Amino acid sequence: MKALLILIVLMNLDKNKCFAFLSFSDQVLSITAKTQEQVELLKNVSTQYETVLWQPVSPEYIKEEEPVHLSPSAFAQSFASRFCFRVLLDNTNEMIELQTRNDSTDPRSSSSYYERYHSLEDIYYWINRTTQEHPEMVKVVLIGSSYEKRPLYALKISVGEKQDKKAIWIDCGIHAREWISPAFCMWFSLSYYNQNQDITHILNHMDVYVLPVMNPDGYKYTWTTNRMWRKNRSYSTDSSCVGVDLNRNFDANWCTEGASDKPCSEIYCGAFPESEPESEAVANFLRSHKDSVQLYLTIHSYSQMLLFPYSCTLDEAENHNELLVMAQEAAQKIRRYYRNTYKYGAGGKTIYLAPGGSDDWAYNLGIKYSFTFELQDRGRYGFLLPPSHISKACNEALIAVKTIALRVIEKT
Ligand code: ARG
Ligand code: ZN
């Protein structure tokens, strides 16, 4: 549906320029509430009018002076007339079409293969081929299956004969619409099995487990039905709303402030911790490998942040300063080599309380180096980061991973 919105924007008394606007449902707008009244209005609109919220993740986080990114999808004239806004994107339908087109034309061997987004089928195929082409280095590990019974395959990248190496775990695609995340896991794997000096050093000390798509049902759904889907695709018994936020489903202050017990919410925590097969599979794997896994990494987008525990409380982690120094060093490398800014800090204080996250859970399990990366961008394209940005987004994240991994090796 392409509802035409007629947005008549009134002049604001401060010098913000506001024009009369025509807005379509395939636009993404950035709106900043200036008063508490506007905050309430925005919250209402984003709950009532089938508005798609990009940022923040759920209406309860809307605050004064913090830009809200949304795609209005219904006639919401009365609300919009009270705001000044900026159009972020004008043609999301066209962008989505471009990003999903000929997903499997280039051969996997070409580097441009890694500079495009891939369908779930393509990623499964890629996993298969990668293990076949590098059998001495890359193995596939089936860690479980999704709600809709799709396999959850992780790659194990390992060199040399040594058996009891330490390990890094990295998962991507916990949130379905964050397409740069699975793209990063593929990019990362490529650079690991191709190796350069630093990577060889890392692999001499550590094995690497890579889960390219932790939420395959949701990812599939973003390709077929709704590009902006976030959660998994599980049905609940007492609601017609589908999906649990897998990053609220872990056992870390589960379902307290910052998560929701309402199945229709984007941050629905599920019926109980690890109620979802996807989070349970990752948790089981980490529980049974907790003596080897020293570094836990989980990749999201967007907003450019390097976060570490805790997100489920405002308390500081026991090795907060150590984590802070590592994140800072990684952010400095990104700035120096890629001229890009990443914020860093404990999740709860840097963004918001978000209990039930995989990073906090892994941390409490005993994996003392645990990070959530929020990749590019900061809202220009948001979840629709164009394929032409994949290489820079991935390379800068890669240098952050490398920096942190080298530090972990020194320490353990
Ligand atoms: N954007 C992520 C989310 O809302 C942030 C994750 C930070 N870590 C966490 N444990 N919540 O899920
Ligand atoms: Zn996310």
Side-chain angles (χ1 to χ4, degrees):
M1 181 186 70
K2 199 168 183 179
L4 176 65
L5 298 183
I6 302 161
L7 303 177
I8 305 144
V9 180
L10 299 176
M11 293 297 277
N12 214 347
L13 288 179
D14 55 64
K15 277 162 241 112
N16 260 332
K17 285 188 199 110
C18 300
F19 303 99
F21 247 103
L22 288 178
S23 174
F24 294 93
S25 62
D26 71 342
Q27 280 188 329
V28 177
L29 311 178
S30 176
I31 305 181
T32 306
K34 301 280 180 194
T35 63
Q36 200 47 43
E37 192 204 343
Q38 290 188 334
V39 168
E40 293 311 318
L41 216 65
L42 264 180
K43 283 187 180 173
N44 262 333
V45 163
S46 42
T47 355
Q48 286 171 19
Y49 293 93
E50 289 184 348
T51 302
V52 182
L53 254 195
W54 284 32
Q55 181 192 288
V57 58
S58 186
E60 53 267 42
Y61 295 119
I62 296 173
K63 288 200 201 111
E64 274 173 53
E65 299 300 338
E66 290 190 8
V68 174
H69 301 165
L70 56 78
S71 175
S73 63
F75 195 72
Q77 190 181 14
S78 57
F79 110 79
S81 63
R82 304 197 212 164
F83 293 97
C84 298
F85 59 84
R86 192 159 61 89
V87 177
L88 291 174
L89 298 174
D90 235 346
N91 52 347
T92 57
N93 293 338
E94 194 185 318
M95 290 179 73
I96 292 168
E97 217 268 305
L98 273 172
Q99 296 185 6
T100 50
R101 203 186 286 168
N102 6 295
D103 120 81
S104 48
T105 47
D106 297 14
R108 276 166 312 93
S109 50
S110 75
S111 68
S112 65
Y113 178 87
Y114 292 86
E115 296 180 33
R116 283 185 295 106
Y117 296 112
H118 294 282
S119 65
L120 186 64
E121 290 66 31
D122 237 43
I123 298 178
Y124 278 129
Y125 185 72
W126 170 85
I127 289 172
N128 225 320
R129 294 294 311 209
T130 300
T131 55
Q132 282 168 10
E133 283 164 19
H134 307 273
E136 39 358 284
M137 261 189 98
V138 188
K139 303 247 173 330
V140 65
V141 193
L142 179 66
I143 66 155
S145 57
S146 68
Y147 181 83
E148 292 172 351
K149 302 282 177 264
R150 294 190 174 85
L152 299 171
Y153 291 127
L155 298 176
K156 179 182 184 184
I157 307 173
S158 177
V159 302
E161 303 303 307
K162 203 160 160 263
Q163 283 301 305
D164 52 351
K165 268 193 240 143
K166 300 296 185 190
I168 302 174
W169 168 275
I170 173 163
D171 59 63
C172 292
I174 192 168
H175 290 140
R177 63 192 175 185
E178 300 165 6
W179 282 13
I180 187 63
S181 171
F184 175 74
C185 265
M186 294 169 79
W187 190 277
F188 174 90
S189 306
L190 173 77
S191 67
Y192 270 64
Y193 61 72
N194 280 344
Q195 298 192 38
N196 62 25
Q197 218 180 2
D198 285 335
I199 289 174
T200 304
H201 178 76
I202 292 170
L203 285 174
N204 283 338
H205 290 84
M206 293 175 117
D207 293 334
V208 185
Y209 296 99
V210 186
L211 175 61
V213 190
M214 177 166 162
N215 175 12
D217 303 346
Y219 189 72
K220 171 90 195 176
Y221 195 71
T222 60
W223 276 75
T224 58
T225 314
N226 176 359
R227 175 67 182 79
M228 289 306 142
W229 192 258
R230 165 180 168 96
K231 303 186 283 182
N232 77 346
R233 293 291 305 163
S234 76
Y235 282 74
S236 64
T237 43
D238 43 291
S239 166
S240 59
C241 287
V242 174
V244 169
D245 182 348
L246 296 175
N247 211 30
R248 299 292 182 281
N249 191 233
F250 286 81
D251 199 359
N253 289 355
W254 176 79
C255 219
T256 52
E257 185 191 338
S260 169
D261 59 3
K262 310 268 183 312
C264 298
S265 167
E266 290 286 24
I267 49 172
Y268 175 45
C269 60
F272 51 89
E274 292 176 34
S275 58
E276 304 311 295
E278 298 86 355
S279 35
E280 190 192 16
V282 171
N284 281 340
F285 183 89
L286 291 174
R287 268 189 289 265
S288 61
H289 292 77
K290 69 173 178 166
D291 296 329
S292 57
V293 177
Q294 306 285 304
L295 171 59
Y296 173 86
L297 293 165
T298 180
I299 309 298
H300 292 248
S301 77
Y302 59 95
S303 64
Q304 296 179 197
M305 291 183 194
L306 309 177
L307 304 170
F308 51 81
Y310 284 108
S311 289
C312 66
T313 163
L314 297 175
D315 295 349
E316 276 189 1
E318 170 263 314
N319 60 339
H320 175 89
N321 288 335
E322 195 183 14
L323 295 169
L324 184 70
V325 169
M326 291 165 88
Q328 176 181 16
E329 187 188 0
Q332 281 166 351
K333 286 263 168 67
I334 294 177
R335 175 181 294 288
R336 177 144 116 235
Y337 292 104
Y338 296 93
R339 311 238 155 263
N340 219 355
T341 306
Y342 278 62
K343 279 198 198 168
Y344 53 89
K349 286 191 176 144
T350 309
I351 26 176
Y352 40 62
L353 280 173
S358 60
D359 52 355
D360 286 353
W361 178 84
Y363 183 82
N364 286 341
L365 180 71
I367 303 173
K368 290 298 164 199
Y369 304 103
S370 175
F371 295 86
T372 294
F373 285 8
E374 295 272 0
L375 306 193
Q376 284 191 25
D377 54 13
R378 284 193 292 186
R380 173 70 188 84
Y381 297 103
F383 302 117
L384 297 181
L385 190 74
S388 56
H389 294 225
I390 292 176
S391 86
K392 181 166 183 285
C394 289
N395 280 332
E396 68 193 22
L398 200 57
I399 205 167
V401 174
K402 200 169 73 180
T403 305
I404 290 173
L406 290 172
R407 285 287 173 235
V408 171
I409 290 170
E410 274 173 25
K411 288 161 188 282
T412 52

